[in-house]
């Protein structure tokens, strides 16, 4: 699995590590990437939350730290610099404010521990990605979405029911892998129903919810048409509604898309319970069609 995982990760230039919950294995996955000699290129890191602290500030549970090699590029809030022990060379200030100070781009001039606290808004995250690209001497990624690939992390900490963890992870996986729209339809500024009636397709201006879509399915407006959202995070539909769209032959697409590279599982909850690791692995492999990795055994 190690060589297969490396091949998958090396196939993209930018990636996001996304967790279904806290303690799903995101930092374990990140540290495996940081420490592996065969991962190509110079790494640039940031976070939309806070990562790298030894104790989770919300749950009080222990977390693995983030140890980077010399040369790693980091985008983090200025107040986080004093909490790490790398020798930092600040390359650029971004003007992006956070509660923990302005986000700065730095290069680690020594190996050591870091804490990450980056921007929380997608547009700001894209700007930070563009600046990191500039520091790496690449100009090609600025117009892309935040990431080309996604590592989806899930685990027992999400819920005590394995069935629910698998089902909800599979639904998120399904949404994250919606096809990318080749062309964009008219934006439904005056409402989805009107736009669909006039054009047979529509670009949803915001989130897509059951309360918006189900009435359109019942009225027959949504049958064989096309719905496009700006990115997968805007799709807040239940599995049942997604199935109904498929049955009515409605094409659901996204303007920005990133393929899921793999799914990682953590069978041990931070809250006192755990799943049978073999059953959890088998059921998750049945639910998704990308490699599934047990972070406790394969990446530890």
């Amino acid at each position: 699995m190690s060589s297969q995982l490396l091949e998958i990760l090396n196939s993209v230039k930018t990636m996001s590590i996304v967790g279904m919950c806290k303690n799903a294995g995101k930092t374990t996955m990140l540290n495996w990437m940081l420490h592996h000699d065969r991962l190509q290129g110079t790494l640039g890191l940031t976070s939309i939350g806070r990562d790298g602290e030894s104790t989770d500030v919300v749950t009080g549970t222990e977390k693995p730290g983030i140890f980077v090699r010399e040369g790693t590029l980091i985008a983090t809030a200025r107040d986080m610099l004093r909490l790490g022990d790398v020798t930092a060379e600040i390359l650029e200030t971004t003007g992006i404010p956070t509660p923990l100070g302005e986000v700065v781009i730095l290069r680690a001039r020594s190996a050591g521990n870091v804490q990450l606290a980056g921007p929380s808004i997608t547009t700001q995250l894209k700007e930070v990605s563009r600046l990191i690209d500039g520091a790496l001497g690449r100009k090609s990624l600025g117009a892309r979405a935040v990431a080309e690939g996604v590592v989806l992390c899930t685990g027992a900490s999400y819920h005590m029911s394995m069935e629910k963890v698998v089902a909800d992870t599979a639904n998120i996986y399904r949404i994250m892998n919606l096809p990318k729209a080749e062309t964009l339809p008219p934006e439904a500024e005056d409402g989805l129903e009107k736009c669909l009636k006039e054009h047979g397709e529509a670009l949803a201006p915001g989130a897509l919810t059951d309360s918006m879509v189900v009435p359109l399915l019942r009225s027959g407006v949504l049958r064989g048409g096309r719905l496009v959202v700006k990115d997968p995070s805007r799709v807040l539909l239940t599995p049942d509604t997604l199935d109904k769209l498929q049955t009515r032959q409605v094409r659901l697409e996204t303007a920005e898309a990133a393929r899921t590279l793999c799914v990682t599982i953590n069978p041990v909850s931070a809250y006192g319970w755990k799943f049978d690791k073999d059953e959890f692995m088998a059921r998750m492999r049945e639910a998704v069609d990308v490699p599934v990795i047990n972070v406790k055994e394969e990446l530890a």
Side-chain angles (χ1 to χ4, degrees):
M1 176 58 72
S2 176
S3 59
Q4 181 187 15
L5 179 58
L6 279 168
E7 183 178 351
I8 293 169
L9 298 179
N10 282 327
S11 70
V12 297
K13 291 183 178 179
T14 56
M15 71 185 74
S16 297
I17 302 176
V18 177
M20 291 286 294
C21 59
K22 288 181 173 294
N23 302 292
K26 299 186 299 296
T27 306
T28 301
M29 179 70 200
L30 174 62
N31 279 329
W32 184 89
M33 291 165 54
L34 291 174
H35 298 161
H36 214 289
D37 290 332
R38 288 187 292 166
L39 198 62
Q40 296 172 356
T42 299
L43 288 174
L45 307 177
T46 191
S47 171
I48 61 169
R50 182 173 174 181
D51 288 289
E53 70 273 34
S54 59
T55 303
D56 192 290
V57 295
V58 176
T59 65
T61 54
E62 291 186 4
K63 293 182 62 177
I66 297 174
F67 186 87
V68 301
R69 294 183 176 189
E70 180 181 356
T72 304
L73 294 176
I74 300 156
T76 191
R78 193 179 287 273
D79 288 358
M80 294 293 98
L81 300 184
R82 60 184 175 81
L83 301 178
D85 56 14
V86 300
T87 301
E89 174 193 1
I90 295 180
L91 303 177
E92 191 162 353
T93 57
T94 67
I96 297 173
T98 78
L100 296 169
E102 180 187 12
V103 176
V104 296
I105 310 292
L106 62 94
R107 187 187 301 274
R109 286 302 183 187
S110 66
N113 293 290
V114 298
Q115 291 199 26
L116 303 176
S120 59
I121 301 172
T122 301
T123 53
Q124 294 175 341
L125 192 59
K126 289 181 181 180
E127 175 63 12
V128 166
S129 178
R130 185 188 68 78
L131 292 171
I132 289 176
D133 278 347
L136 287 170
R138 290 202 306 260
K139 303 300 182 185
S140 61
L141 299 183
R144 299 183 183 181
V146 172
E148 293 177 292
V150 174
V151 175
L152 179 59
C153 304
T154 190
S157 292
Y158 179 76
H159 198 274
M160 294 183 70
S161 165
M162 184 191 299
E163 182 177 1
K164 180 171 177 59
V165 175
V166 173
D168 286 2
T169 303
N171 188 54
I172 293 297
Y173 171 79
R174 181 180 180 184
I175 290 170
M176 289 173 63
N177 288 278
L178 290 170
K180 181 177 175 62
E182 296 297 328
T183 59
L184 295 183
E187 186 165 0
E189 296 179 348
D190 298 326
L192 278 177
E193 184 171 8
K194 180 180 179 182
C195 193
L196 287 166
K197 283 181 176 178
E198 293 179 355
H199 305 283
E201 58 181 357
L203 173 63
L208 206 59
T209 65
D210 281 16
S211 61
M212 296 167 58
V213 171
V214 171
L216 297 175
L217 287 167
R218 288 174 178 165
S219 69
V221 173
L222 266 179
R223 183 180 292 275
R226 185 166 76 115
L227 273 177
V228 179
V229 291
K230 293 183 178 178
D231 64 75
S233 69
R234 310 290 183 98
V235 181
L236 307 178
L237 302 177
T238 61
D240 181 60
T241 301
L242 286 170
D243 289 340
K244 288 176 179 176
L245 287 174
Q246 187 173 0
T247 300
R248 301 288 180 88
Q249 298 182 324
V250 177
R251 290 175 292 160
L252 183 58
E253 303 171 350
T254 63
E256 297 177 354
R259 65 187 177 97
T260 302
L261 305 172
C262 63
V263 173
T264 73
I265 60 170
N266 181 358
V268 180
S269 167
Y271 310 110
W273 63 84
K274 63 181 179 179
F275 296 156
D276 179 275
K277 62 183 179 65
D278 295 327
E279 181 185 359
F280 192 24
M281 174 67 78
R283 294 179 69 171
M284 192 61 69
R285 281 178 171 168
E286 290 178 357
V288 301
D289 55 5
V290 292
V292 179
I293 299 159
N294 182 335
V295 296
K296 286 291 185 180
E297 292 188 345
E298 298 179 68
L299 302 183

